[in-house]
Amino acid sequence: MADIKLDAVEKQFAGIPALHAISATIQDGEFVALLGPSGCGKSTLLRLLAGFEAPTSGALSIGAQEMANAATGHAVPPEARNIGFVFQSYALWPHMSVRRNVSFALEVRGLSKSEQSRQTEAALQATGLVAFADRMPADLSGGQRQRVALARCLVSDPQAVLLDEPLANLDVALRASMQEVFLDFHHRTGATMVYVTHDQAEAMAMADRIAVMHEGRIVQFDTPEALYSRPCNRFVAGFVGEGTVLPISDFTPGKGQGAARLLGTQISVQTSADRPNQLCLRPEDITITETGDLRAAVTRSTYLGGRYRLMLRTPKGAELMAESRVRYPEGSQLGLSIGSPWAFCED
Ligand code: ATP
């Protein structure tokens, strides 16, 4: 079992908090993304899990083993944590061939030559590297180097794998194919994976759950679907997916939903809050219809392939984003009807 438990883990650098008392559990075998803007503390959290940093207060454990505890000073060093790392910078040994990069951990462990060879070839096969096994890292593309880093993880059979923006240096097409490689790796190993990224599309495509971080805190830890359809605040609504946050008034509760006024019209909303005062309007919450109560003008129309992204402005100046299969020229006056968007309460 390699579930990861963080118990009020805090980290300060020279008295300045980078992480504020984070408590969370990552289940055994789960693929979790740490998602957030630059400086929110993602890498610091990963480095604490790896053992490269010690918490200022709090404790963390992996499986049954306590790895760090600020109160007792207990700290298991990184090499004793049975964790694999995949970094943006690959961290391959430049003077060793791909095969040797992969087999080295097995040599160090003292496995027999035939067992080293069996496990190494299996890992090269799994990561599509058989044809590159005799090359040196300098003669590989970025995606191939990242595969070597994964093959190295595969042979060392870690209980958890930590990945810090591993695709940041790769182009868009290669990122998509590498996402498949990571998912395949996850299915094969069943390892607990913690993946740092600031790219919400990448996190949504791969993770079972995403911890959205902001200013040293986890603000929402949920499935990609829940983050998108039920964001807890303006930050999550803006960071995960596209949409607009708008104020609502005169909320009247119903069962798991209610009615409220938005831009002068009455709409129904979904919510878990007692008194929601904001909502998150996703493009798919807006239907363009002649009979719609809400009027808006098209200010910009962008072709996305098969559909158009419309930027709209209401007579009172609110900006909305909708999508349409039909092309509406800029300046068109449209009627809109609003589905049941998600509403939340903000102080
Ligand atoms: P990015 O996406 O840019 O890598 P991040 O979310 O990973 O950002 P961290 O690298 O964890 O953010 O940094 C969190 C905060 O802690 C930042 O304000 C950073 O400046 C600070 N910090 C991180 N490492 C140190 C350090 N060794 N000494 C001092 N401050 C640090």
Side-chain angles (χ1 to χ4, degrees):
M1 288 293 280
D3 48 336
I4 297 174
K5 286 204 174 74
L6 298 156
D7 183 9
V9 169
E10 196 173 301
K11 179 66 185 173
Q12 297 182 358
F13 292 106
I16 300 167
L19 294 174
H20 301 269
I22 291 195
S23 293
T25 301
I26 297 170
Q27 306 297 337
D28 182 44
E30 208 176 10
F31 192 142
V32 162
L34 304 180
L35 174 70
S38 184
C40 70
K42 309 178 292 291
S43 299
T44 302
L45 187 50
L46 206 71
R47 292 173 62 76
L48 284 165
L49 293 175
F52 300 143
E53 302 280 0
T56 310
S57 61
L60 69 91
S61 60
I62 301 180
Q65 196 181 5
E66 186 176 65
M67 295 295 176
N69 188 326
T72 61
H74 175 69
V76 176
E79 63 278 11
R81 291 192 180 193
N82 190 17
I83 280 175
F85 308 104
V86 180
F87 300 111
Q88 212 180 104
S89 57
Y90 318 120
L92 304 180
W93 287 292
H95 58 290
M96 292 184 190
S97 68
V98 167
R99 179 177 281 111
R100 187 95 199 289
N101 259 283
V102 176
S103 67
F104 191 67
L106 304 175
E107 276 179 58
V108 172
R109 264 198 240 159
L111 264 65
S112 71
K113 282 258 182 271
S114 63
E115 191 52 22
Q116 280 179 37
S117 165
R118 192 189 67 74
Q119 291 192 27
T120 301
E121 294 314 311
L124 292 171
Q125 185 85 43
T127 46
L129 284 169
V130 173
F132 306 98
D134 296 319
R135 287 211 200 161
M136 303 305 275
D139 303 328
L140 298 176
S141 72
Q144 290 159 351
R145 285 179 208 177
Q146 207 53 281
R147 284 168 196 255
V148 180
L150 273 179
R152 243 177 15 184
C153 272
L154 210 51
V155 293
S156 56
D157 191 24
Q159 54 176 343
V161 181
L162 309 179
L163 307 101
D164 196 353
E165 305 236 20
L167 303 183
N169 288 335
L170 308 181
D171 67 43
V172 176
L174 194 53
R175 276 167 169 245
S177 75
M178 283 305 290
Q179 286 176 11
E180 293 300 320
V181 176
F182 286 135
L183 286 172
D184 180 57
F185 175 89
H186 184 230
H187 289 143
R188 277 173 194 272
T189 59
T192 309
M193 297 190 41
V194 185
Y195 188 105
V196 162
T197 180
H198 59 262
D199 181 338
Q200 56 106 8
E202 199 168 286
M204 305 261 276
M206 288 192 284
D208 299 315
R209 281 194 305 155
I210 301 173
V212 181
M213 296 185 65
H214 185 43
E215 295 178 345
R217 293 187 166 83
I218 294 179
V219 284
Q220 191 169 355
F221 192 5
D222 245 322
T223 62
E225 294 83 357
L227 289 173
Y228 184 81
S229 55
R230 298 188 292 281
C232 70
N233 66 13
R234 179 185 299 270
F235 177 78
V236 178
F239 204 78
V240 178
E242 288 180 301
T244 320
V245 173
L246 290 168
I248 51 173
S249 60
D250 303 330
F251 175 73
T252 0
K255 247 195 195 157
Q257 52 178 27
R261 285 191 81 70
L262 169 76
L263 301 168
T265 61
Q266 191 73 9
I267 62 163
S268 69
V269 295
Q270 300 177 68
T271 190
S272 58
D274 291 338
R275 279 194 215 128
N277 55 10
Q278 306 283 329
L279 60 69
C280 170
L281 210 51
R282 302 288 188 197
E284 59 273 20
D285 293 325
I286 301 180
T287 309
I288 298 164
T289 155
E290 269 311 304
T291 54
D293 289 342
L294 193 60
R295 311 303 295 181
V298 178
T299 54
R300 193 149 35 95
S301 169
T302 312
Y303 187 54
L304 300 178
R307 66 196 202 284
Y308 295 84
R309 162 72 42 85
L310 303 177
M311 300 309 293
L312 306 168
R313 184 174 296 134
T314 68
K316 285 193 175 157
E319 307 270 358
L320 307 176
M321 188 192 294
E323 284 185 3
S324 162
R325 292 191 168 274
V326 181
R327 183 174 173 277
Y328 292 100
E330 286 167 19
S332 303
Q333 297 289 331
L334 305 179
L336 310 176
S337 88
I338 307 292
S340 281
W342 181 252
F344 53 87
C345 181
E346 197 169 75
D347 299 334

